[in-house]
Amino acid sequence: MKIKISLAICFLSLCFYIGFVYFSFDSKDLFKGTYSKVLLDKNKEILSVFLDANEQWHLESEFIPQKLKTAVVLYEDKNFYSHYGVDFLAIIRAFKNNLFSSKRSGASTISMQTIKLLEQNKRTYFNKFNEIIKAFALENAYDKEEILRLYLNNAPYGGNLVGVASAGLFYFEKDLKNLTWSEAALLAVLPNNPGLINLEKNKDKLLKKRNALLDRLFEKGYFSKDILTLAKAEKLPSFKARKNLAPHLARRLLVDKEKVISSIDKKIQIKFEKKAKEYSYKLHQKGIKNLAILLADTKTNKVLAYVGSNDFYDFTTFGQVDGVVAKRSVGSVLKPLLFAFAIDDGLIAPESLMLDVPTFFSNFAPQNANKKYHGFVSAKESLQKSLNIPFVGLLSEYGYEKFFYKLKDILNYEDENFKKYGLSLILGTKEFSLEDMVKIYLGLGNYGNFKEILYEENTSIKKDKKLISDGASFLTLQTLKGLDRVGLKQYDFNTIISWKTGTSYGRKDAWAIGTSPKYTLGVWVGNFNGEANANLYGVSIAGELFFELLGLLDGLNLEFKQPDDLISIKIENQTGYRYDYRFDFKEALYPQSANVLRISPFLKEIFIYENKEVNSLDENFIYAKKKIILNLPPNAQAFFAKEKQHLQSSNQSLKIIYPLNNLNIVLPKDLKSKQKLLIKLINPENEKLFWYLNQELIFEGKEENLALDLKKGKYNLNIISESGMNDFINFNIF
């Protein structure tokens, strides 16, 4: 007998030498590439997990709780912390039993079982010898805690579950750090009997094994008698199907990665997904099927919640479409950006008056959403009321090409065709994503510093672009903070938010986006298939969801701090532009780093003699008196005259408002394949007019509008009044 034992020791010594000399393990994780793809939140809690290449749920855990370590070592390999990969006494005992007894026993240590899990070889004597040799090498390359972690992360746990983290998730729906002693004991015995948990007839055997281990743990003094009683009373679990959180983001980030620690806050994500699901029921009653939500931390630009659709698993409503990155018409959501750019360019201050009257910009005649006009309105009120005409006019002055490339600088799109969109760009004719719009509002919330949106916790912003002054950003944020919450008073609470809504042309998209010192939130509502819906309004549909989501957050009672860049300047108090000695003035905040505010485009200094305007060539000019009057374009004169707002203005004379001179016109066809051209003009003296088209008299009368049925060709229109005033234009019909 002593000879046999000596031979065994010599054999094992040889194995140790072979393992040490010939085998090494270079990879930190031998099982790298075999795990399921998994998306974690910023606290490393599981959001989404996917089947691996073997159709198994195979999760890796970096943390193994002490309870589980204690239970596994006691059950599987009680000498684990004292041997060097092979338990000599256990092998001798097994060798003896297998020779002289009908009762078979194994002697695999946790290290040997780890090698077995790695290589997945059949149970033969040669493979057992291979496991012994490589166990020595494993012990040489890794410390005990790492070997135990490798084993538990790759052990089978019944069905298609591999790894203790998978078992914790699908059996107990909890993180391993929260395991009870009963659960730890169950997870210790399962790898030895993984098939038992799926066989109802064998559950009693599994229960006995778990309770037997609990008894041993109690005898070792790991817990009290009361805990033992409670642990044995816990029922065995069953497999619990689960749905992934933030599945759209997981699919996006895990394309070429096995595991990503995202910046998502799991608690907020759960709340937002639940709210999205609840709100979608209300939307479905109105025939609206889809929505998307994006929440970011304003200071870090890291995304905290990502809801690509109200139900990823609903194929009937295209739930797998990612609404965060889908390009849609953004309506009026870009107006705050132009507002800030225009302040820095010296075009406006928030108090500056703008014209909201029927206006033709070449062939483009924008209208406000409510089809009403306000005449003179401040830039601040224009933004708060989201008036289209003042902002199209502002873009015309700022330059749509310049605005297009400023947007490109922020959003990095490839499009170069600014002419395709023209002045309608500010009304949402170029499509952008919810991600794009949240990036813009994050830039405003960071005082004009535009940065990339971050989705991973362990990343940081490499660079930013300073495109708006601190002062212009603050003035824009303050203006948006005063946006009227019509119909949304019940969501006010103590919420302080600088926000904007938008509704696309044709009612296909509704938006609500806002920023605060802590959060920046964007909401899109619509139909992924592009179907229009009369109920789609930014305020009432997207805005309602926007404020319900804000109600789930804290820290929304913070104000943006006024920057040092703002100074007090004098502006003339009639139209709100740069002050000079000719006008009364008032004080206003304006960015010190912005271009000098321009003088008013609506005021003009003239000289009057005997109630007539005269110039320096007039012989009575030396007797004339200076007077400040409104200098309005013809379309504004026509509007105020029609509205009976008698504003004293110069140059009130006969004027053709539309078409503009040298305009090329393509007339759309109506149901009868014909469309008339509507001529518009101003006739301030209400005189009889004579209309000449290509030198032929076509109409006499006082009308200011006339519809002409014209064929393709070149035209000259000349209109003469009874008093001799006249105006003419050339235009082409295509």
Side-chain angles (χ1 to χ4, degrees):
M1 185 64 184
K2 291 182 179 180
I3 295 175
K4 291 180 180 179
I5 293 174
S6 298
L7 287 174
I9 293 173
C10 291
F11 170 74
L12 293 173
S13 299
L14 176 63
C15 291
F16 179 82
Y17 174 77
I18 294 173
F20 182 79
V21 173
Y22 293 103
F23 293 97
S24 63
F25 297 97
D26 297 327
S27 174
K28 183 65 177 174
D29 189 341
L30 304 176
F31 297 85
K32 187 174 179 61
T34 66
Y35 297 111
S36 293
K37 289 190 173 186
V38 58
L39 181 70
L40 305 175
D41 88 331
K42 64 179 185 178
N43 298 312
K44 298 185 179 180
E45 293 191 23
I46 293 173
L47 293 170
S48 286
V49 60
F50 300 90
L51 291 168
D52 65 10
N54 298 316
E55 297 296 312
Q56 294 177 320
W57 302 107
H58 188 178
L59 290 173
E60 177 190 17
S61 177
E62 295 179 0
F63 171 76
I64 305 297
Q66 189 58 48
K67 285 180 185 178
L68 184 58
K69 292 179 185 178
T70 301
V72 169
V73 170
L74 184 61
Y75 184 78
E76 288 284 359
D77 187 0
K78 64 181 180 180
N79 297 318
F80 174 67
Y81 288 105
S82 59
H83 63 60
Y84 295 96
V86 178
D87 190 334
F88 296 122
L89 294 178
I91 286 182
I92 294 170
R93 185 169 56 252
F95 183 72
K96 176 183 176 183
N97 289 340
N98 293 337
L99 280 179
F100 303 107
S101 173
S102 59
K103 182 180 178 181
R104 300 293 178 183
S105 63
S108 292
T109 62
I110 289 176
S111 301
M112 293 169 64
Q113 290 184 60
T114 302
I115 298 299
K116 181 180 178 181
L117 292 171
L118 176 66
E119 300 190 342
Q120 298 290 317
N121 292 323
K122 295 180 179 179
R123 298 189 67 171
T124 64
Y125 285 111
F126 175 79
N127 288 335
K128 180 67 72 174
F129 175 69
N130 178 64
E131 289 170 13
I132 290 172
I133 294 174
K134 290 186 176 180
F136 286 125
L138 186 69
E139 292 273 345
N140 183 63
Y142 297 91
D143 63 32
K144 291 290 186 179
E145 296 300 322
E146 187 63 24
I147 293 172
L148 185 57
R149 192 183 75 85
L150 287 172
Y151 166 71
L152 287 170
N153 276 335
N154 296 279
Y157 279 92
N160 64 343
L161 295 182
V162 178
V164 69
S166 301
L169 182 65
F170 287 94
Y171 290 147
F172 307 122
E173 296 183 303
K174 62 168 62 175
D175 191 275
L176 295 180
K177 64 185 178 183
N178 299 317
L179 289 178
T180 66
W181 274 110
S182 176
E183 292 163 347
L186 179 64
L187 294 178
V189 302
L190 260 180
N192 228 294
N193 307 272
L196 295 182
I197 200 164
N198 288 324
L199 303 175
E200 289 295 328
K201 62 181 181 180
N202 288 326
K203 274 199 170 184
D204 57 335
K205 295 181 179 179
L206 186 60
L207 191 64
K208 289 180 180 178
K209 287 180 177 292
R210 182 202 71 178
N211 290 345
L213 178 56
L214 287 171
D215 286 331
R216 290 175 63 191
L217 288 165
F218 167 69
E219 291 167 3
K220 294 286 186 180
Y222 289 108
F223 48 74
S224 65
K225 184 69 174 179
D226 290 340
I227 292 178
L228 175 64
T229 302
L230 291 172
K232 286 186 174 182
E234 288 187 30
K235 295 181 179 180
L236 293 180
S238 57
F239 183 90
K240 299 175 180 66
R242 67 182 301 276
K243 287 187 177 182
N244 286 332
L245 294 170
H248 296 89
L249 181 60
R251 188 172 59 180
R252 181 176 172 181
L253 296 184
L254 294 172
V255 173
D256 54 1
K257 296 180 181 179
E258 193 171 84
K259 180 172 70 173
V260 172
I261 302 172
S262 73
S263 56
I264 297 294
D265 186 315
K266 185 175 182 178
K267 292 180 180 178
I268 296 178
Q269 182 71 28
I270 290 172
K271 291 178 182 179
F272 273 33
E273 288 194 17
K274 181 180 179 182
K275 178 58 67 176
K277 190 73 173 177
E278 292 173 354
Y279 197 75
S280 69
Y281 296 134
K282 184 186 297 186
L283 292 178
H284 285 172
Q285 294 173 0
K286 299 176 182 291
I288 304 168
K289 303 179 182 67
N290 305 111
L291 60 84
I293 304 164
L294 191 65
L295 176 73
D297 183 303
T298 303
K299 290 183 179 179
T300 65
N301 272 43
K302 291 183 177 180
V303 169
L304 300 174
Y306 188 114
V307 182
S309 71
N310 37 295
D311 189 349
F312 181 83
Y313 302 96
D314 187 352
F315 294 94
T316 61
T317 60
F318 309 101
Q320 293 199 342
V321 172
D322 189 347
V324 171
V325 297
K327 303 291 185 181
R328 310 288 299 195
S329 172
V330 296
S332 299
V333 177
L334 290 175
K335 288 176 181 174
L337 188 64
L338 177 59
F339 185 87
F341 284 152
I343 291 174
D344 273 340
D345 226 39
L347 293 176
I348 58 169
E351 295 80 6
S352 300
L353 294 186
M354 302 167 72
L355 278 175
D356 182 30
V357 299
T359 307
F360 284 90
F361 299 89
S362 186
N363 240 357
F364 180 41
Q367 292 182 317
N368 294 321
N370 61 5
K371 311 296 184 183
K372 296 180 180 179
Y373 306 95
H374 298 76
F376 272 126
V377 61
S378 72
K380 179 179 180 179
E381 189 177 358
S382 295
L383 180 56
Q384 291 174 339
K385 292 183 180 296
S386 197
L387 301 178
N388 291 336
I389 296 170
F391 272 90
V392 172
L394 187 61
L395 182 60
S396 178
E397 294 180 296
Y398 183 78
Y400 64 81
E401 178 182 0
K402 184 163 68 170
F403 186 67
F404 178 90
Y405 282 105
K406 280 286 186 70
L407 271 173
K408 183 179 175 70
D409 203 17
I410 296 170
L411 301 177
N412 302 314
Y413 49 74
E414 295 181 359
D415 193 356
E416 295 280 351
N417 190 6
F418 59 87
K419 292 182 179 179
K420 176 181 178 181
Y421 312 102
L423 295 177
S424 66
L425 175 61
I426 197 60
L427 304 184
T429 51
K430 179 169 176 56
E431 295 184 336
F432 294 104
S433 67
L434 179 60
E435 180 181 56
D436 291 334
M437 295 302 97
V438 168
K439 184 176 180 181
I440 287 175
Y441 280 72
L442 278 167
L444 287 172
N446 282 288
Y447 296 91
N449 292 291
F450 291 87
K451 313 167 189 176
E452 292 301 318
I453 292 179
L454 302 178
Y455 292 102
E456 297 186 33
E457 180 63 16
N458 299 322
T459 55
S460 58
I461 295 170
K462 297 179 181 179
K463 61 180 180 179
D464 58 8
K465 297 175 181 178
K466 181 67 173 175
L467 299 178
I468 303 173
S469 69
D470 290 3
S473 298
F474 180 79
L475 292 174
T476 304
L477 293 168
Q478 290 298 100
T479 299
L480 293 176
K481 190 180 72 172
L483 212 66
D484 190 9
R485 302 179 188 183
V486 179
L488 299 173
K489 296 297 183 182
Q490 67 270 34
Y491 301 111
D492 279 0
F493 305 107
N494 294 316
T495 303
I496 300 173
I497 191 81
S498 297
W499 69 301
K500 182 75 179 71
T501 62
T503 306
S504 69
Y505 178 77
R507 303 277 176 77
K508 295 183 178 181
D509 307 276
W511 302 78
I513 306 178
T515 186
S516 73
K518 188 170 184 179
Y519 298 112
T520 298
L521 173 65
V523 169
W524 168 85
V525 178
N527 294 306
F528 286 146
N529 63 3
E531 180 182 343
N533 189 295
N535 295 307
L536 274 171
Y537 281 98
V539 174
S540 58
I541 293 297
E544 185 175 337
L545 175 57
F546 179 81
F547 278 97
E548 287 193 14
L549 292 168
L550 290 179
L552 302 175
L553 303 171
D554 57 7
L556 286 169
N557 57 348
L558 304 174
E559 295 269 12
F560 284 105
K561 294 181 180 179
Q562 181 173 317
D564 296 334
D565 181 41
L566 281 178
I567 60 173
S568 180
I569 66 168
K570 293 178 180 179
I571 59 175
E572 44 85 7
N573 62 6
Q574 289 180 276
T575 61
Y577 290 87
R578 177 157 51 100
Y579 165 75
D580 65 29
Y581 68 93
R582 300 172 297 175
F583 313 106
D584 295 329
F585 69 87
K586 57 185 176 183
E587 300 283 337
L589 291 175
Y590 193 74
Q592 188 173 15
S593 57
N595 290 343
V596 175
L597 183 61
R598 63 174 170 165
I599 62 172
S600 175
F602 305 122
L603 297 178
K604 180 182 180 181
E605 184 180 71
I606 64 171
F607 293 86
I608 299 293
Y609 178 75
E610 293 185 350
N611 296 322
K612 289 185 179 181
E613 182 179 350
V614 296
N615 59 33
S616 59
L617 298 179
D618 192 290
E619 61 181 9
N620 295 310
F621 182 74
I622 59 174
Y623 307 110
K625 294 182 179 180
K626 288 191 294 186
K627 187 174 184 179
I628 304 299
I629 63 169
L630 285 172
N631 183 36
L632 299 178
N635 61 311
Q637 295 178 36
F639 171 79
F640 289 120
K642 182 179 178 181
E643 296 295 315
K644 295 182 172 50
Q645 298 182 28
H646 301 292
L647 302 174
Q648 187 175 6
S649 174
S650 65
N651 301 322
Q652 290 196 11
S653 59
L654 177 66
K655 181 69 177 177
I656 299 173
I657 300 174
Y658 184 81
L660 302 179
N661 193 32
N662 296 320
L663 185 64
N664 296 319
I665 303 170
V666 178
L667 291 179
K669 295 180 179 180
D670 60 14
L671 295 177
K672 297 181 181 179
S673 298
K674 293 182 180 180
Q675 180 67 47
K676 294 183 178 181
L677 175 65
L678 184 64
I679 308 294
K680 293 189 174 187
L681 54 87
I682 176 174
N683 184 12
E685 302 298 329
N686 197 29
E687 294 184 86
K688 184 178 180 179
L689 305 175
F690 302 89
W691 297 56
Y692 291 88
L693 185 65
N694 290 350
Q695 288 78 49
E696 181 181 345
L697 181 64
I698 61 170
F699 180 78
E700 296 180 27
K702 297 181 178 181
E703 281 80 356
E704 293 184 332
N705 299 323
L706 188 65
L708 301 181
D709 189 1
L710 302 176
K711 298 179 180 179
K712 294 181 180 180
K714 296 182 178 181
Y715 293 91
N716 171 274
L717 178 65
N718 189 9
I719 300 177
I720 304 173
S721 73
E722 285 181 309
S723 65
M725 291 189 299
N726 81 301
D727 194 19
F728 69 91
I729 57 169
N730 296 304
F731 61 93
N732 301 316
I733 300 292
F734 290 91

